[in-house]
Amino acid sequence: MVNKIAVIGAGLMGAGIAYVSAWNGFNVSIVDTKQEFVDKGMERIRTDVMTGIDKGKISMGDAEGLMSRLKPTVNLEDAVKDADLVIEAIFENMDVKKEIFAKIDAAAPSHAILATNTSSLSIDELATATKRPDKFIGMHYFSPVPAMKLLELVIGEKTSDETIAAVETVGKTQGKTTVRAKNSPGFIVNRILNPALLEAIRMYERGEATKEEIDTAMVSIGKAPAGPFSLGDFVGLDIAFNAMSTLYREIGDCFKPPDTLKNLVDAGHIGMKSKKGFYSYGADETEPEPPKGADPQWIVERINIPAIREAMILVDDNIANEEDINMAMKLGASWPMGPFEMLKHFGVDKVRDFIKKLQEEFGDCYSMPKYLG
Ligand SMILES: NC(=O)c1ccc[n+]([C@@H]2O[C@H](COP(=O)([O-])OP(=O)(O)OC[C@H]3O[C@@H](n4cnc5c(N)ncnc54)[C@H](O)[C@@H]3O)[C@@H](O)[C@H]2O)c1
């Protein structure tokens, strides 16, 4: 049973994880390399608490209780020595993470579960840094942690059933909906979101539709919260490029980042945070291209069907089940429907024909998933 959680890294994600843990009754230590980083993390948590108080969701008494359960420190050994669960949220770098997991493994009690919030690194490789791969798992939270309901549990080859069950309980106690994915590139949400962005950029590069036409169709007909180009600019094209590059490296050429994306990132045009990405923001707003007259319904199908196909491959490869994939895309990417609900909506025969035509025109990156027989 998990009572005490140690969160490693007091950045954006670590502070969020510490907050939802302390708010839901866990005793939490939060550690970073320098006092100023720990202070910054605690400041983030205080801001979240104040927001809760302002909205009437947290009483002053609850806020005091929450803060009293948090123990900030710069001493890693001290933070993990009596932890039942350690959740790591430091920089996204394999060597740095392995180094810290070796230290955590040496200092944490033998019963403690070790979890990582990595967005893209292999759980199995990270687990090799420890002597307890059965107690090693991915807990992939989404940002902002207090608001996002989804928690992807990423299961390594040696992760035990007890470990999965224990972190599932922790996630639920933290107010999250958990889904299970076997360790694989991009897990569920990033794996399925990437084909959607790739297809949008490829359509644009081929001159089939403008960015504005694609974004408008995806919002008005596809009922997406934002079109792929606006969403990319919002999330950050550097982040989108890194996520796609991971899939390119691990799965192959079908995920090669298109030149349009690479060139923007190379030029430092990484979206809203740099005032320029697919679109310009602020003073030098560019004129939209003249429309190409693409059918909005076709745009939606042309983008969503390759993403549905990717979801089917996850099922074919036994990485996740339909129910969890639907839930993950609705909660983690705010899709109005899960991919398998979309499959029903479009109709299985139509999706099969669509994929067949894509394969004839563009090759095996659009091969027919076993799921469709
Ligand atoms: N930002 C997101 O949207 C998001 C979403 C899901 C997962 N993630 C993953 O979460 C992890 C953290 O991301 P972030 O956005 O919070 O990064 P961040 O840069 O905001 O925070 C990282 C923190 O880790 C600290 N740190 C680095 N080395 C450390 C060490 N040895 N010991 C203790 N602390 C150390 C840093 O000082 C920093 O405060 C990454 O693996 C990232 O891929 C990020």
Side-chain angles (χ1 to χ4, degrees):
M1 170 133 166
V2 173
N3 289 312
K4 160 89 195 285
I5 299 178
V7 178
I8 317 300
L12 178 68
M13 298 305 287
I17 296 165
Y19 168 78
V20 296
S21 303
W23 171 232
N24 290 293
F26 294 103
N27 289 312
V28 181
S29 58
I30 177 162
V31 63
D32 209 301
T33 48
K34 286 190 183 160
Q35 191 59 44
E36 60 181 289
F37 300 147
V38 176
D39 292 344
K40 219 170 139 198
M42 289 300 289
E43 204 42 58
R44 276 186 213 269
I45 294 173
R46 259 178 231 111
T47 307
D48 283 337
V49 173
M50 289 314 293
T51 310
I53 292 173
D54 288 347
K55 286 187 177 165
K57 286 187 181 163
I58 300 181
S59 69
M60 281 309 282
D62 287 345
E64 276 165 27
L66 187 163
M67 294 311 290
S68 73
R69 286 191 287 278
L70 278 164
K71 188 174 163 231
T73 175
V74 288
N75 185 326
L76 179 76
E77 282 73 21
D78 197 34
V80 306
K81 69 173 193 279
D82 54 353
D84 305 307
L85 168 66
V86 180
I87 306 177
E88 167 278 317
I90 68 166
F91 302 133
E92 187 74 347
N93 177 292
M94 179 61 86
D95 293 338
V96 179
K97 284 196 196 273
K98 275 173 133 176
E99 198 179 312
I100 198 138
F101 270 119
K103 286 188 190 152
I104 295 168
D105 191 37
S110 58
H111 74 273
I113 293 171
L114 311 188
T116 172
N117 182 44
T118 182
S119 341
S120 63
L121 302 174
S122 163
I123 304 303
D124 290 325
E125 186 169 349
L126 285 168
T128 63
T130 76
K131 294 190 183 76
R132 56 181 102 188
D134 57 316
K135 295 194 179 69
F136 196 93
I137 193 161
M139 292 178 83
H140 186 218
Y141 294 84
F142 288 71
S143 175
V145 181
M148 294 292 284
K149 282 265 166 240
L150 183 66
L151 171 59
E152 284 183 333
L153 301 179
V154 187
I155 298 161
E157 261 173 28
K158 297 189 176 157
T159 309
S160 71
D161 290 345
E162 293 75 33
T163 300
I164 301 169
V167 297
E168 222 155 39
T169 303
V170 170
K172 290 197 170 99
T173 309
Q174 289 169 332
K176 304 299 170 200
T177 300
T178 58
V179 294
R180 296 180 180 197
K182 281 204 188 130
N183 180 39
S184 63
F187 316 140
I188 299 176
V189 174
N190 280 333
R191 175 79 176 261
I192 295 174
L193 265 185
N194 266 278
L197 178 60
L198 259 170
E199 294 306 331
I201 302 174
R202 286 174 183 154
M203 284 168 89
Y204 162 71
E205 286 184 344
R206 285 194 295 266
E208 291 166 350
T210 65
K211 289 176 284 198
E212 291 80 6
E213 282 175 305
I214 293 171
D215 276 355
T216 306
M218 288 305 287
V219 173
S220 62
I221 309 235
K223 306 288 176 220
F229 294 102
S230 308
L231 182 65
D233 278 355
F234 176 74
V235 170
L237 299 188
D238 49 342
I239 291 175
F241 181 76
N242 283 341
M244 208 179 277
S245 301
T246 302
L247 296 177
Y248 175 37
R249 204 172 46 243
E250 309 245 341
I251 301 179
D253 286 350
C254 298
F255 285 93
K256 185 165 191 252
D259 289 345
T260 303
L261 179 60
K262 183 173 186 310
N263 294 342
L264 283 169
V265 173
D266 287 348
H269 300 320
I270 55 173
M272 284 178 184
K273 54 192 170 190
S274 70
K275 300 253 185 287
K276 193 167 164 49
F278 289 122
Y279 299 111
S280 294
Y281 303 86
D284 68 333
E285 268 184 45
T286 40
E287 282 289 304
E289 264 186 276
K292 308 276 183 193
D295 172 13
Q297 180 63 35
W298 175 76
I299 292 176
V300 169
E301 290 168 7
R302 185 64 189 78
I303 288 176
N304 281 341
I305 290 179
I308 297 171
R309 176 185 168 275
E310 204 63 38
M312 293 190 249
I313 292 172
L314 292 186
V315 172
D316 285 348
D317 292 349
N318 210 11
I319 288 168
N321 66 35
E322 288 181 33
E323 199 185 327
D324 278 6
I325 292 173
N326 280 339
M327 187 60 79
M329 296 314 290
K330 287 192 281 192
L331 294 183
S334 303
W335 279 20
M337 273 186 259
F340 294 95
E341 291 162 340
M342 269 187 213
L343 176 66
K344 280 205 189 107
H345 173 77
F346 288 137
V348 174
D349 289 342
K350 179 181 182 141
V351 169
R352 191 187 287 107
D353 287 350
F354 206 102
I355 294 176
K356 193 160 167 267
K357 286 203 190 94
L358 286 175
Q359 184 173 15
E360 280 161 11
E361 192 174 353
F362 298 110
D364 283 345
C365 286
Y366 303 89
S367 61
M368 193 65 69
K370 285 194 227 83
Y371 186 97
L372 289 177

